[in-house]
Amino acid sequence: MTSDTLSPAQTTHAPPARQMTWTRFRAWVLEVPALQVLVVLALAAWLLTTMPAMANPRSITSILVITSLLALAAMGQTLVVILGGLDLAAPGYILFGAFMAANVAGKLALPAVVALLITALVCGGIGALIGWICHRFAVQPLIVTLGTGAAITGATLFFADGDYSSAPPVELRSLASLRGATFGLPFPPIILIVLLCGAGMWIFLNRTAAGRRFRATGINFRAAGLTRIRTSAVWTAVFAASGALAGVAGVFIASFGSGWSQTIGEPYLFSGLAAVLVGGTIFGSIRGSYTRTLLGALILTLLSTIIVSNGLTEAQSRIVFGIIILAVVSLYGRERHVRDRF
């Protein structure tokens, strides 16, 4: 039967049927990170096909460690993005953490635990102040975090006084070293640390009243306020967590590289945000999760490895990352915001 002989009913119902199929498929992709898992598998297959030498324990461990560091640096950003904001102070936090690891714990021989605690308190305190200011005065976090990040960077460089030769102590380096072991098993502790953080984040977001209040604030903070949720406290706590986590990530990043530089945090602003978005967490998203960020970090690490193996430059790799982000946002960002459905 040709298209000219189709009945009116068939002509009318064919397009809606195709549209319904696409709607169901898109809803499934939005609901579960199946697309990200497929991309990970495809990139892993591509990497092993083009570089068979990567199929060894040391190379796999290296990929997992780099993924863990990126995921840890993006952990706080995940919370901020779910809340509907953006934290551009992350490079400053990471730089301060690296400074504490190398010049304080390493050079001044301060205990590593104390250096970690000071990093978390200082960066978390600055983040808490940012969150309170943004909520209290209705200022865009983009502006406040950008200025604060520059101030943290300048202050850290002032305290460093041009000394970038120091290295973190052995106990910190062992946590992110490729030769490290965890309870006798041949993988670095940083991998387990990030997995435990991911489990804690999942429990917080999905199994606690605080997590439900946090999601409600991200969906619509005005409606959340009407339900007697202290949205100012939520904003303060989320930005505090973002600062503390980024600072601690800086400690581990410096430990992995056995040193630091004044630009150590800059790559993690773009790649950290990319990991969040590629994972499928969009601003104010009800489906945002740290599991998606972990998958996004693994995707970017595998892709970076493939790019480096093919001789692409940093500029070319950023172009590839940008195209991927645009593609992901075009898929996830077109979903109607929850607050617009009622």
Side-chain angles (χ1 to χ4, degrees):
M1 182 180 292
T2 64
S3 58
D4 296 334
T5 59
L6 287 174
S7 65
Q10 290 174 309
T11 304
T12 302
H13 288 86
R18 290 195 297 268
Q19 184 177 1
M20 185 177 296
T21 301
W22 165 248
T23 301
R24 289 175 178 173
F25 171 75
R26 187 166 176 271
W28 176 72
V29 170
L30 292 172
E31 188 67 31
V32 297
L35 181 61
Q36 284 77 9
V37 173
L38 292 176
V39 172
V40 166
L41 295 176
L43 289 175
W46 183 7
L47 180 62
L48 293 178
T49 301
T50 56
M51 296 185 64
M54 294 295 294
N56 64 82
R58 185 172 179 81
S59 297
I60 295 174
T61 301
S62 176
I63 290 175
L64 292 179
V65 169
I66 295 172
T67 299
S68 299
L69 294 173
L70 176 56
L72 185 60
M75 189 175 188
Q77 190 76 270
T78 303
L79 293 173
V80 174
V81 169
I82 294 176
L83 191 64
L86 191 63
D87 192 350
L88 299 185
Y93 296 136
I94 292 173
L95 179 66
F96 181 79
F99 164 76
M100 290 296 298
N103 284 31
V104 176
K107 183 178 180 180
L108 301 181
L110 194 71
V113 175
V114 176
L116 280 168
L117 183 59
I118 292 175
T119 300
L121 289 176
V122 171
C123 295
I126 295 173
L129 182 61
I130 290 174
W132 181 83
I133 290 174
C134 291
H135 185 277
R136 175 64 178 81
F137 300 102
V139 182
Q140 283 292 333
L142 180 73
I143 300 172
V144 181
T145 56
L146 182 61
T148 305
I152 297 172
T153 299
T156 303
L157 297 179
F158 173 78
F159 288 125
D161 195 23
D163 182 9
Y164 306 110
S165 60
S166 301
V170 176
E171 57 266 31
L172 280 178
R173 294 202 303 270
S174 64
L175 295 177
S177 172
L178 297 180
R179 302 178 183 275
T182 306
F183 301 118
L185 300 177
F187 65 89
I190 184 63
I191 298 176
L192 179 61
I193 291 171
V194 172
L195 290 177
L196 291 176
C197 288
M201 177 82 78
W202 184 88
I203 293 173
F204 165 73
L205 291 176
N206 298 282
R207 292 293 184 268
T208 65
R212 290 190 291 271
R213 289 193 293 268
F214 161 66
R215 286 193 182 275
T217 303
I219 292 170
N220 192 325
F221 76 92
R222 292 188 179 87
L226 294 175
T227 61
R228 297 185 179 181
I229 294 176
R230 297 180 58 192
T231 55
S232 61
V234 173
W235 272 69
T236 301
V238 167
F239 277 89
S242 179
L245 290 169
V248 170
V251 172
F252 287 112
I253 291 169
S255 300
F256 174 71
S258 298
W260 73 299
S261 68
Q262 56 184 328
T263 60
I264 191 172
E266 292 179 4
Y268 288 91
L269 174 61
F270 183 81
S271 58
L273 180 59
V276 176
L277 297 179
V278 169
T281 298
I282 305 298
F283 300 98
S285 173
I286 192 174
R287 297 186 178 92
S289 69
Y290 188 58
T291 304
R292 292 178 175 272
T293 300
L294 285 171
L295 290 172
L298 183 55
I299 289 173
L300 294 182
T301 303
L302 290 172
L303 187 59
S304 297
T305 306
I306 294 172
I307 288 173
V308 171
S309 66
N310 285 276
L312 271 69
T313 64
E314 175 69 17
Q316 291 171 322
S317 65
R318 292 203 175 200
I319 292 174
V320 174
F321 287 172
I323 293 173
I324 293 175
I325 292 175
L326 289 175
V328 172
V329 172
S330 67
L331 174 64
Y332 289 93
R334 294 174 61 189
E335 184 183 21
R336 290 182 62 194
H337 198 286
V338 177
R339 74 184 66 167
D340 297 328
R341 299 176 185 173
F342 301 97

